[in-house]
Every structure is written in C-alpha cells, then in structure tokens.
C-alpha cells in the first residue's frame, strides 16, 4: 500500500492535480470558453472579463465569450460546455452546490468553474494570488 | 455482599492511572486533529468522513474518564450494588454513537457517489508557494493516523489487564486508524489523478469500517447489559475464571457440590454460587468464611452470594 502510494506520488506529482474532464488541457488546445452574465454592475463585469483575458494571455489560450443569463450559463458549466462563468458572483452565492468556485480575487468576488476541475482551478488561483485586487 | 468502596489491586491501580493519562493525551491530540481536519477538508467526502470518525473517537476517551471517576464509589442507599456498571453504560453510549454515525456516513457517501459529485479542491499559499489543498489534506491525515496508532498500541495491554471494554474498544479503534487515514489519502490522491469517484469511494470504504466497528461494539454492549456470561475482552471466549471459582468452592471441605454463575458489571463480576453442604456443619459460619475466601480469590470476582441448596439448578445446559 505504502509503495503504491509512493509510486502514484512520484509518477504524478509533476502535473497534480488533474481535471476529470480535462478543462484546462482542452482550453489550451482549442480555447477558453467563458460565459458572461450581463450585469447591472458593469464595472465588476468588465474587470472580471479583463482579468480572465489576462489569465488566458498568460496561459497562451484563445478566448471565446458567450453572453447569456445566469441559469443558462450555469447549466452549460455543469455540462462542461463552458470553462469559466463570470458575473460578479460572491463566495456565498446560491449556485454554490452546482458550480466550483475560485477563491475571491478581491475580498468577496469569485469566478465559477465546472465542479471538480481542479487543474484549471489550480492555475486560476495561482493567477489570482499574483494579481489579487487590493 | 460488599458495602465498601471498590479498590483495584495495587498493580492495577497504577495501570488505571496510566490509562487515564493516556486518555487525556488522546483527548487533547484528537481535538487538534479535528480542528485541523475541519480547516482543510474542503469539499472532499473522504475527508469529511475521516473527520467525523475522528471527532467521534473522542467519545470513548471522554466516557472512560467520566466513568473512571464514578465506578469505584461506595454503594449507597439508592445504588446498593455500587457503581461498576457505569463502564457498561459508557460502552453502550460510545457504540451507539459509532453505529449511528456509520449508518449516516454510508448513506451520505453513497448519495455522493450516485450523484457523481465532483469534489472541487482549491489551493493555498504557503511560504509564497501555491500548493494544492490535497497535499495539505494528506499531511493532516498522516498527523491524524500515526500518533493515534501509537496511543492505541499503548492502551491495548492496559485495557486487557483492567478488563475494561471501553478502553479496549478505544485502543483497538485507534490502532486501526491508519486504515482510515490511508483510505482517505488514497481517495485524495485519486482525485489528484483526475478520478472524481476516488474520493467518495474512499469515504464509502471508511464508513463501512465505522459501521462494522459500531455494530460489533453495540452487540457486545447489549449482551453485557443482558448479563451474558463473562467473556475475555480480547477474543470473546468465555472467561475460565468462572469455572475456576466453581472449582475453588467445590474444593472446600464442607461442600459436596457447587454451581457458579456470574455476570459482568463493568470491570468486575457479580454472581452467585449454589452449594450443597455436608450435613451437620455450622452453615452460617461456613458461608461467612467462604465469602471471605472468595473475596481474596481474585479481584474480578467481586460480589458473590453463597446459596445453600438441596439440589443444584443447572441453567447452563444449552449453549446459546
């Protein structure tokens, strides 16, 4: 058992954790699919859009934006048809059970990602840490 | 019949003191584990299961410490048999908690697995480095298993010597705690490999082991309270001390035949011995002397009634 654990550890520590649905890898290959909820608070939305664009640029990803209502976008996120949804969401949002969240990029706002896509999350949070809005 | 406060033999008193100390250490240690685990568990089902298991495993330690303050009190007007059974009650309480939690965890993990929930595990910045929370969870799991195993190994021999079930169960569960730890670690590593189901499967495995422990202990506790014939705590085999006591009584000059029966009252045994006495002896005198001899016979044979009869009633014909 211990040996097996060690084996697993050394084989995969380099690209840990992985995405069950390969969101990060696919985003690199084709493009990062981002859903935007048209929000009354356009300052937050445009900040988030800019933020994600910078992230994509840094990762060398193409981006593809879709604008739709929250329900539709979250549904698409659940089906892994989107990689990120932004719309000025806060960390105690009602969608908590259906989506994965990044840590806040300021003191309360988060981005939505598909649940369990931990590699994508890892890279997003790394970017958030470096570009935290004070 | 005894009306003084219960005292363990000298060498066992020391063992009890040591056991109490170890249980205090256990409580402090487990509290730190529970806090740490809560802080890092995130949305991992395996972590949640291991966390609840660890939180629950404080109960035996607490109930042992409470019971060990009460069990040796002097019998009172209201509690004329003393307070030995407080250990049996503590044991029952602990096992019900374990069993109930086992059922809950099993259902909870199964639902998680069926709903195919993908646990999202984020990152933390430690010393300026971005680290996946899974690694932190694994570190905490190691902290939750290795010292627990050590404590379990330390407590096990004490529990056997003291014939103390709750201590034994506690020690045994802790000794096996590495299983929970490893299962949860495997679940987290599996998650890292991109297998979303690994986490809930590990949780399912852990809840099975909680449920199994809970069931065994619950059965045991109920049987004790049903006045089952005393058994060794280690392997559930009948304690030969009962037969030994019977032979001891039979060996007395004035006794023609005897039959003993005992039940467990916590750490000690209560019971009665039917005796057929030689005719023409001073019966009350002989019984008084016999009782005194029995009191010195073994510390576990604590409260005995010697009952002169004409014919012995055998209640042990059928094995069940």
């Amino acid at each position: 058992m211990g040996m097996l654990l060690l084996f697993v550890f050394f084989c995969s520590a380099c690209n840990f954790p992985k995405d069950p649905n390969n969101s990060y890898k696919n985003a690199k290959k084709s493009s990062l699919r981002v859903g935007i909820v048209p929000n009354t608070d356009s300052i937050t939305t445009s900040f988030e859009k800019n933020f994600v664009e910078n992230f994509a640029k840094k990762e060398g990803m193409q981006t593809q934006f879709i604008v739709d209502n929250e329900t539709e976008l979250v549904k698409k996120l659940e089906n892994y048809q989107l990689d990120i949804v932004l719309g000025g969401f806060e960390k105690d949002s009602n969608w908590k059970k259906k989506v994965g969240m990044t840590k806040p990029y300021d003191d309360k706002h988060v981005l939505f990602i598909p649940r369990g896509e931990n590699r994508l999350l890892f890279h997003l949070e790394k970017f958030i840490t470096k570009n935290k809005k004070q | 019949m005894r009306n003084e406060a219960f005292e363990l033999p000298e060498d066992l008193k020391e063992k009890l003191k040591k056991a109490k100390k170890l249980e205090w250490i256990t409580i402090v240690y487990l509290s730190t584990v529970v806090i740490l685990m809560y802080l890092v568990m995130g949305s991992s089902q395996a972590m949640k299961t291991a966390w609840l298991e660890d939180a629950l495993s404080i109960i035996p330690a607490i109930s042992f410490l409470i019971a060990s303050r009460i069990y040796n009190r002097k019998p009172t007007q209201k509690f004329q048999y003393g307070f030995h059974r407080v250990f049996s009650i503590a044991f029952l309480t602990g096992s019900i908690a374990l069993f109930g939690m086992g059922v809950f965890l099993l259902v909870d993990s199964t639902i998680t697995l069926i709903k195919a929930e993908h646990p999202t595990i984020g990152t933390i910045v430690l010393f300026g480095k971005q680290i996946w929370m899974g690694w932190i969870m694994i570190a905490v799991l190691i902290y939750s298993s290795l010292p627990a195993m050590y404590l379990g190994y330390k407590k096990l021999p004490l529990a056997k010597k003291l014939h103390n079930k709750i201590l034994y169960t506690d020690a045994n569960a802790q000794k096996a705690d590495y299983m929970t730890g490893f299962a949860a670690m495997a679940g987290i590593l599996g998650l890292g490999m991109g297998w979303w189901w690994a986490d809930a499967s590990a949780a399912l495995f852990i809840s099975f082991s909680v449920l199994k422990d809970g069931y065994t202990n619950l059965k045991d506790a109920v049987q004790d309270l049903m006045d089952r014939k005393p058994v060794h705590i280690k392997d559930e085999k009948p304690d030969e001390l009962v037969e030994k006591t019977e032979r001891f009584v039979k060996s007395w000059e004035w006794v023609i035949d005897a039959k003993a029966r005992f039940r467990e009252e916590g750490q000690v045994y209560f019971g009665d011995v039917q005796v057929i006495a030689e005719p023409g002896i001073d019966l009350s005198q002989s019984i008084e002397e016999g009782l005194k001899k029995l009191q010195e016979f073994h510390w576990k044979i604590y409260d005995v009634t010697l009952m002169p009869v004409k014919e012995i009633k055998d209640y042990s014909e059928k094995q069940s």
Side-chain angles (χ1 to χ4, degrees):
Chain A
M1 186 77 182
M3 286 301 285
L4 184 76
L5 285 182
L6 273 182
F7 179 74
V8 170
F9 179 82
F10 284 120
C11 283
S12 42
C14 28
N15 53 1
F16 239 63
K18 285 183 182 157
D19 287 335
N21 283 56
N22 296 319
S23 296
Y24 180 76
K25 215 159 109 196
N26 292 341
K28 279 216 147 183
K29 230 188 288 170
S30 40
S31 66
L32 187 71
R33 301 158 303 174
V34 184
I36 300 177
V37 180
N39 211 309
T40 40
D41 181 5
S42 56
I43 301 168
T44 310
T45 312
S46 66
F47 173 82
E48 284 178 358
K49 188 171 181 234
N50 198 357
F51 194 81
V52 170
E53 269 169 346
N54 285 339
F55 168 72
K57 200 184 286 167
K58 194 199 145 255
E59 295 283 341
M61 289 168 176
Q62 305 280 323
T63 44
Q64 193 185 322
F65 290 97
I66 309 171
V67 179
D68 208 336
N69 64 53
E70 262 181 54
T71 320
E72 276 310 307
L73 290 178
V74 167
K75 206 180 276 169
K76 282 204 167 109
L77 199 65
E78 279 187 283
N79 295 325
Y80 302 97
Q81 290 162 340
L82 285 176
D83 302 313
I84 298 175
V85 171
L86 48 90
F89 298 114
E90 295 178 8
K91 59 186 171 191
D92 52 357
S93 153
N94 289 333
W95 297 110
K96 204 158 47 177
K97 289 225 154 110
K98 304 213 165 199
V99 300
M101 289 179 186
T102 63
K103 61 180 170 185
Y105 60 79
D106 47 15
D107 48 6
K108 60 180 179 184
H109 289 100
V110 299
L111 308 176
F112 285 178
I113 59 155
R115 277 191 76 101
E117 297 301 278
N118 294 326
R119 184 156 190 79
L120 175 67
L121 183 62
F122 184 86
H123 287 282
L124 265 172
E125 292 200 341
K126 204 169 168 182
F127 186 75
I128 287 174
T129 310
K130 280 198 186 128
N131 301 278
K132 192 139 181 144
K133 192 179 171 189
Q134 293 308 327
Chain B
M1 265 141 273
R2 313 184 75 159
N3 58 4
E4 71 272 24
F6 175 70
E7 278 204 44
L8 282 167
E10 278 311 314
D11 60 320
L12 289 183
K13 262 190 209 162
E14 209 145 291
K15 296 228 153 54
L16 183 73
K17 216 171 133 194
K18 213 166 138 197
K20 278 189 191 170
K21 200 175 129 202
L22 283 170
E23 291 293 40
W24 273 115
I25 296 174
T26 305
I27 290 178
V28 173
Y29 158 68
L30 281 177
S31 309
T32 63
V33 167
V34 167
I35 293 169
L36 270 176
M37 274 197 155
Y38 180 76
L39 291 177
V40 303
M41 73 181 166
S43 67
S44 159
Q45 181 74 15
M47 283 299 280
K48 182 174 149 198
T49 316
W51 174 68
L52 272 170
E53 201 211 15
D54 281 335
L56 267 184
S57 60
I58 301 183
I59 294 178
I62 294 175
S63 46
F64 172 81
L65 284 172
I66 295 175
S68 66
R69 294 178 76 102
I70 299 174
Y71 81 104
N72 58 355
R73 284 192 194 162
K74 206 170 135 86
T76 62
Q77 192 71 45
K78 205 169 165 194
F79 297 98
Q80 305 188 340
Y81 290 92
F83 294 82
H84 304 274
R85 269 227 164 124
V86 70
F87 276 119
S88 311
I89 296 170
F91 185 46
L92 181 71
T93 320
S95 58
I96 286 179
L98 205 60
F99 182 75
M101 197 50 77
V103 174
F104 167 74
L105 289 175
L106 194 67
V107 172
D108 198 38
S109 310
T110 311
I111 291 175
T112 312
L113 201 56
I114 290 173
K115 277 165 80 184
E117 269 176 29
H118 294 203
T120 311
I121 294 183
T123 61
I124 188 176
V125 182
L126 265 189
F127 309 114
K129 269 201 91 160
Q130 196 84 20
I131 296 168
W132 186 49
M133 275 307 277
W135 297 127
I136 311 292
M137 291 180 191
I138 287 170
V140 172
L141 283 170
I142 290 173
Y143 172 65
S144 86
S145 354
L146 295 183
M149 259 168 87
Y150 176 76
L151 280 170
Y153 270 112
K154 279 280 193 193
K155 283 188 261 183
L156 213 49
L158 298 177
K160 282 181 198 162
K161 283 263 159 55
L162 288 165
H163 194 82
N164 193 307
K165 278 200 184 134
I166 185 133
L167 188 62
Y168 179 79
T169 313
D170 181 41
N172 221 17
Q174 281 197 320
K175 207 189 78 189
D177 208 42
Y178 74 93
M179 292 253 287
T180 312
F182 274 158
M185 281 181 230
I188 307 278
L189 284 175
L191 259 191
M193 297 287 291
W195 304 324
W196 61 265
W197 44 264
D199 180 55
S201 306
L204 203 59
F205 175 81
I206 298 168
S207 53
F208 263 120
S209 91
V210 175
L211 191 60
K212 195 186 131 259
D213 282 352
Y215 176 74
T216 325
N217 294 344
L218 189 58
K219 203 175 95 188
D220 217 28
V222 169
Q223 284 183 341
D224 279 355
L225 287 169
M226 287 294 296
D227 290 344
R228 166 181 60 169
K229 196 175 168 185
V231 293
H232 284 296
I233 51 174
K234 179 178 61 194
D235 50 12
E236 296 273 301
K237 293 230 174 72
D239 191 344
E240 60 283 346
L241 189 58
V242 176
E243 270 69 46
K244 255 193 212 158
T245 309
E246 194 174 294
R247 277 203 301 275
F248 178 59
V249 174
K250 277 182 186 166
S251 75
W252 298 342
E253 256 172 38
W254 57 276
V255 174
I256 296 176
D257 200 4
K259 180 86 206 156
R261 81 176 162 173
F262 283 96
R263 59 176 190 272
E264 291 179 43
E265 298 251 347
Q267 301 183 110
V268 294
Y269 301 166
F270 278 38
D272 49 61
V273 185
Q274 308 173 60
V275 286
I276 301 179
E278 294 274 4
I281 55 150
D282 183 349
L283 198 55
S284 336
Q285 180 64 28
S286 308
I287 284 181
E288 280 294 345
E289 280 166 14
L291 285 175
K292 210 161 274 165
K293 275 190 226 165
L294 277 175
Q295 282 189 9
E296 282 152 21
F297 182 59
H298 193 286
W299 71 273
K300 267 199 255 178
I301 302 295
Y302 188 65
D303 202 325
V304 191
T305 308
L306 276 177
M307 164 102 137
V309 290
K310 276 206 172 121
E311 196 183 324
I312 282 173
K313 290 198 180 59
D314 198 346
Y315 18 65
S316 58
E317 275 164 19
K318 279 182 194 147
Q319 281 281 310
S320 63

